[in-house]
Amino acid sequence: MDSFEGRPRRSIAAMVRAPLASCCAALLLAAGCAGGPSRPERHVDIPVFPPPPEQQRFQYERTLYGSADVRPDEMSSLQRAVTGQARTGEGLEKPYGVAARKGRIYVTDTVRRTVALFDIPGRKFAWIGEDGPGALRLPIGVDTDAQGNVYVADAAARRVVVYDASGKYLRELGGGDTFTRPTGVGVNAAATRLYVVDTGGVTKDTHRVRVFELPSGRHLRDIGKRGSGQGDFNLPTDVVVAPDDSVYVVDSANFRVQVFDRDGNFVRVFGTIGRRSGQFARPKEIAVDGGGNVYIVDAAFGNFQIFDAEGRLLLDVGSRGTADAPAKYMLPAGIAVDEDGRVYVVDQFFRKVDVYRPAGLAASQGFVSGSGK
């Protein structure tokens, strides 16, 4: 992503009032899913952020609701128009976390108790963790490593389950008393360390991040304890490892993000409680792009905010909405950024994943398009 410098910051309220720009004549959305209301094809303007006249940084690209959004459509648009039949398929029920690598999008679903795999370039859809030793009970956080392996935090089973890129069960970490309530996972670029957020609970003191060696799974150390001081946590929810091995943790009930080095030493903190841009009200998941910029979903604001590596606000994207539409959210939770800079945002209420494309990247470029870099 290019630099955000030189652009005035915008408040959340201003972003909500700002008009959406029309970047093309129409966008066709057709994502009816089994188990939910059908979504008829309709024309909408394509949101861009920030809106004109400021320089565009991101453009809404598409929405994923279920299998019909990636599998080949056996019925043509003309046939659907004649018969009145909408596209159908297997849909998300209550998605939460998301991870993306080389065109494969992994979405945890807490109601289905599985992980949905959207293989966009392969035009395939599958459920991961339905049965066998890798069966999931309450999947929350998810991340992938450089080899494409998938790490899922199962809060109910109190373990982290590892699959290969296609969803084949490989192994697990934890179980027993290893975790109180694991919710977030993050893998470093070299795939040598796994960081697991143990959220604990209101009556528990195990509010921490547990660090494991990969691939052995050996426990190395813990980061933090319950509290409000530097390095302490109060109901942490997610963790991500930056390209420089810095570790960013969402400290949700302290309304901040804390940054540590790879060995768990405190580095800095940013964020405060509030309703203005740059503050937090209900922060959920976190992601980092290749340039070190930090993306944080806030369920109360109904958007995600982008900060630089030092915690300076760059941009906020999306707004709260009572009806499903591009860049509108009622209960956003998960966020991920892929190798090409595309951003994936999960909304639990609308049961969707919105995809944004960075400025300068054509729709035909990147792993999602099937072309790779």
Side-chain angles (χ1 to χ4, degrees), residues 292-353:
N293 296 316
V294 183
Y295 301 65
I296 302 167
V297 165
D298 198 300
F301 294 161
N303 74 354
F304 65 91
Q305 299 183 86
I306 308 175
F307 301 82
D308 68 13
E310 299 299 319
R312 292 181 290 258
L313 178 67
L314 302 175
L315 178 68
D316 38 43
V317 176
S319 60
R320 196 164 184 83
T322 57
D324 184 14
K328 293 293 183 180
Y329 305 105
M330 177 64 75
L331 195 59
I335 190 164
V337 183
D338 70 11
E339 305 92 331
D340 303 311
R342 281 184 168 90
V343 182
Y344 304 81
V345 182
V346 172
D347 188 273
Q348 293 182 285
F349 187 84
F350 294 132
R351 295 181 284 177
K352 69 174 183 176
V353 182

Side-chain angles (χ1 to χ4, degrees), residues 8 32 76 99 117:
S76 69
L117 166 57

